[in-house]
Short mmCIF file of all heavy atoms in Angstrom, two decimals:
data_model
loop_
_atom_site.label_atom_id
_atom_site.label_comp_id
_atom_site.label_asym_id
_atom_site.label_seq_id
_atom_site.Cartn_x
_atom_site.Cartn_y
_atom_site.Cartn_z
N LEU A 42 7.47 -11.13 10.77
CA LEU A 42 7.12 -12.59 10.63
C LEU A 42 6.22 -12.76 9.44
O LEU A 42 6.24 -13.74 8.72
CB LEU A 42 6.44 -13.11 11.89
CG LEU A 42 7.26 -13.06 13.20
CD1 LEU A 42 6.32 -13.42 14.35
CD2 LEU A 42 8.41 -14.07 13.04
N PHE A 43 5.30 -11.79 9.23
CA PHE A 43 4.23 -11.91 8.27
C PHE A 43 4.20 -10.65 7.41
O PHE A 43 4.57 -9.59 7.80
CB PHE A 43 2.86 -12.07 8.95
CG PHE A 43 2.90 -13.07 10.07
CD1 PHE A 43 2.81 -12.70 11.40
CD2 PHE A 43 3.16 -14.40 9.79
CE1 PHE A 43 2.89 -13.64 12.42
CE2 PHE A 43 3.22 -15.36 10.81
CZ PHE A 43 3.06 -15.00 12.14
N ALA A 44 3.68 -10.73 6.16
CA ALA A 44 3.66 -9.64 5.28
C ALA A 44 2.42 -8.76 5.57
O ALA A 44 1.36 -9.24 5.88
CB ALA A 44 3.54 -10.10 3.83
N LEU A 45 2.62 -7.43 5.54
CA LEU A 45 1.58 -6.49 5.68
C LEU A 45 1.56 -5.63 4.41
O LEU A 45 2.53 -5.05 4.01
CB LEU A 45 1.75 -5.54 6.90
CG LEU A 45 0.72 -4.46 7.06
CD1 LEU A 45 -0.68 -5.09 7.24
CD2 LEU A 45 1.05 -3.59 8.31
N LYS A 46 0.39 -5.60 3.71
CA LYS A 46 0.25 -4.90 2.53
C LYS A 46 -0.78 -3.76 2.70
O LYS A 46 -1.72 -3.88 3.46
CB LYS A 46 -0.22 -5.83 1.34
CG LYS A 46 0.78 -6.91 1.08
CD LYS A 46 0.33 -7.82 -0.03
CE LYS A 46 1.39 -8.92 -0.27
NZ LYS A 46 1.14 -9.59 -1.54
N VAL A 47 -0.56 -2.66 1.91
CA VAL A 47 -1.46 -1.51 2.00
C VAL A 47 -1.80 -1.08 0.57
O VAL A 47 -0.93 -1.02 -0.33
CB VAL A 47 -0.87 -0.33 2.78
CG1 VAL A 47 -1.80 0.84 2.87
CG2 VAL A 47 -0.44 -0.77 4.18
N GLU A 48 -3.06 -0.68 0.42
CA GLU A 48 -3.44 -0.12 -0.90
C GLU A 48 -4.34 1.11 -0.72
O GLU A 48 -5.17 1.11 0.17
CB GLU A 48 -4.24 -1.22 -1.68
CG GLU A 48 -4.64 -0.79 -3.08
CD GLU A 48 -5.31 -1.95 -3.85
OE1 GLU A 48 -5.63 -2.98 -3.23
OE2 GLU A 48 -5.58 -1.80 -5.04
N ALA A 49 -4.09 2.16 -1.47
CA ALA A 49 -4.91 3.37 -1.44
C ALA A 49 -6.03 3.15 -2.43
O ALA A 49 -5.83 2.92 -3.59
CB ALA A 49 -4.09 4.58 -1.81
N LEU A 50 -7.28 3.23 -1.92
CA LEU A 50 -8.45 2.98 -2.77
C LEU A 50 -9.21 4.26 -3.06
O LEU A 50 -9.44 5.07 -2.17
CB LEU A 50 -9.39 1.99 -2.07
CG LEU A 50 -8.85 0.65 -1.69
CD1 LEU A 50 -9.85 -0.17 -0.93
CD2 LEU A 50 -8.41 -0.10 -2.96
N ASN A 51 -9.59 4.43 -4.30
CA ASN A 51 -10.45 5.59 -4.75
C ASN A 51 -9.93 6.95 -4.26
O ASN A 51 -10.73 7.67 -3.68
CB ASN A 51 -11.90 5.36 -4.25
CG ASN A 51 -12.40 3.99 -4.73
OD1 ASN A 51 -12.27 3.60 -5.89
ND2 ASN A 51 -13.00 3.28 -3.84
N PRO A 52 -8.75 7.35 -4.60
CA PRO A 52 -8.33 8.67 -4.25
C PRO A 52 -9.13 9.74 -4.93
O PRO A 52 -9.39 9.61 -6.11
CB PRO A 52 -6.84 8.75 -4.61
CG PRO A 52 -6.71 7.66 -5.61
CD PRO A 52 -7.69 6.61 -5.34
N THR A 53 -9.50 10.79 -4.26
CA THR A 53 -10.26 11.90 -4.84
C THR A 53 -9.40 12.79 -5.68
O THR A 53 -9.85 13.51 -6.53
CB THR A 53 -10.99 12.72 -3.78
OG1 THR A 53 -10.05 13.23 -2.93
CG2 THR A 53 -12.05 11.91 -3.07
N GLN A 54 -8.07 12.76 -5.44
CA GLN A 54 -7.04 13.48 -6.18
C GLN A 54 -5.87 12.58 -6.38
O GLN A 54 -5.55 11.76 -5.52
CB GLN A 54 -6.65 14.83 -5.53
CG GLN A 54 -7.72 15.77 -5.26
CD GLN A 54 -8.20 16.43 -6.56
OE1 GLN A 54 -7.41 16.65 -7.46
NE2 GLN A 54 -9.46 16.76 -6.62
N GLY A 55 -5.07 12.78 -7.49
CA GLY A 55 -3.91 12.04 -7.65
C GLY A 55 -4.08 10.62 -8.14
O GLY A 55 -5.16 10.23 -8.53
N THR A 56 -3.03 9.85 -8.12
CA THR A 56 -2.99 8.50 -8.62
C THR A 56 -2.46 7.53 -7.53
O THR A 56 -1.45 7.74 -6.96
CB THR A 56 -2.04 8.45 -9.88
OG1 THR A 56 -2.41 9.46 -10.76
CG2 THR A 56 -2.08 7.08 -10.48
N ALA A 57 -3.19 6.42 -7.33
CA ALA A 57 -2.79 5.45 -6.35
C ALA A 57 -1.79 4.53 -7.04
O ALA A 57 -1.90 4.15 -8.17
CB ALA A 57 -4.02 4.63 -5.91
N ALA A 58 -0.75 4.11 -6.21
CA ALA A 58 0.12 3.12 -6.65
C ALA A 58 -0.48 1.78 -6.50
O ALA A 58 -1.55 1.64 -5.95
CB ALA A 58 1.41 3.17 -5.78
N SER A 59 0.14 0.74 -7.04
CA SER A 59 -0.37 -0.62 -6.81
C SER A 59 -0.22 -0.93 -5.34
O SER A 59 0.44 -0.22 -4.59
CB SER A 59 0.52 -1.58 -7.63
OG SER A 59 0.44 -1.30 -9.01
N GLU A 60 -0.74 -2.07 -4.92
CA GLU A 60 -0.68 -2.47 -3.56
C GLU A 60 0.87 -2.54 -3.12
O GLU A 60 1.65 -3.05 -3.89
CB GLU A 60 -1.30 -3.87 -3.39
CG GLU A 60 -1.30 -4.40 -1.99
CD GLU A 60 -2.02 -5.78 -1.94
OE1 GLU A 60 -1.49 -6.72 -2.62
OE2 GLU A 60 -3.02 -5.83 -1.24
N VAL A 61 1.11 -2.05 -1.97
CA VAL A 61 2.47 -1.92 -1.42
C VAL A 61 2.70 -2.91 -0.32
O VAL A 61 1.86 -2.98 0.60
CB VAL A 61 2.75 -0.49 -0.89
CG1 VAL A 61 4.09 -0.39 -0.21
CG2 VAL A 61 2.58 0.54 -1.98
N THR A 62 3.79 -3.73 -0.39
CA THR A 62 4.14 -4.56 0.72
C THR A 62 5.10 -3.73 1.61
O THR A 62 6.11 -3.23 1.13
CB THR A 62 4.86 -5.85 0.24
OG1 THR A 62 3.95 -6.56 -0.56
CG2 THR A 62 5.27 -6.70 1.40
N LEU A 63 4.68 -3.55 2.87
CA LEU A 63 5.45 -2.60 3.74
C LEU A 63 6.79 -3.16 4.12
O LEU A 63 6.99 -4.35 4.34
CB LEU A 63 4.65 -2.34 5.01
CG LEU A 63 3.42 -1.43 4.83
CD1 LEU A 63 2.74 -1.20 6.18
CD2 LEU A 63 3.77 -0.12 4.16
N SER A 64 7.78 -2.19 4.14
CA SER A 64 9.12 -2.52 4.62
C SER A 64 9.64 -1.29 5.28
O SER A 64 8.91 -0.24 5.32
CB SER A 64 10.01 -2.95 3.45
OG SER A 64 10.36 -1.82 2.67
N THR A 65 10.87 -1.30 5.78
CA THR A 65 11.51 -0.09 6.35
C THR A 65 11.92 0.93 5.36
O THR A 65 12.35 2.02 5.70
CB THR A 65 12.59 -0.51 7.29
OG1 THR A 65 13.55 -1.22 6.51
CG2 THR A 65 12.15 -1.32 8.51
N THR A 66 11.85 0.56 4.08
CA THR A 66 12.17 1.49 3.02
C THR A 66 10.86 2.13 2.47
O THR A 66 9.90 1.40 2.23
CB THR A 66 12.84 0.76 1.79
OG1 THR A 66 14.02 0.13 2.31
CG2 THR A 66 13.18 1.69 0.70
N ALA A 67 10.83 3.47 2.42
CA ALA A 67 9.61 4.14 1.95
C ALA A 67 9.28 3.73 0.56
O ALA A 67 10.09 3.65 -0.30
CB ALA A 67 9.79 5.67 2.08
#
C-alpha cells in the first residue's frame, strides 16, 4: 500500500548505494 525505503548510512567498509525503495526484486 505504501512505499518503504532503506538507506545504508556510514558504512565502515565498502560503498553504500543510494536510498533503495524496497520491492520483491533484490
Side-chain angles (χ1 to χ4, degrees):
L42 297 173
F43 315 110
L45 178 60
K46 298 181 178 194
V47 181
E48 186 176 5
L50 302 175
N51 305 314
T53 57
Q54 299 288 327
T56 306
S59 301
E60 183 177 61
V61 174
T62 300
L63 289 182
S64 74
T65 56
T66 302

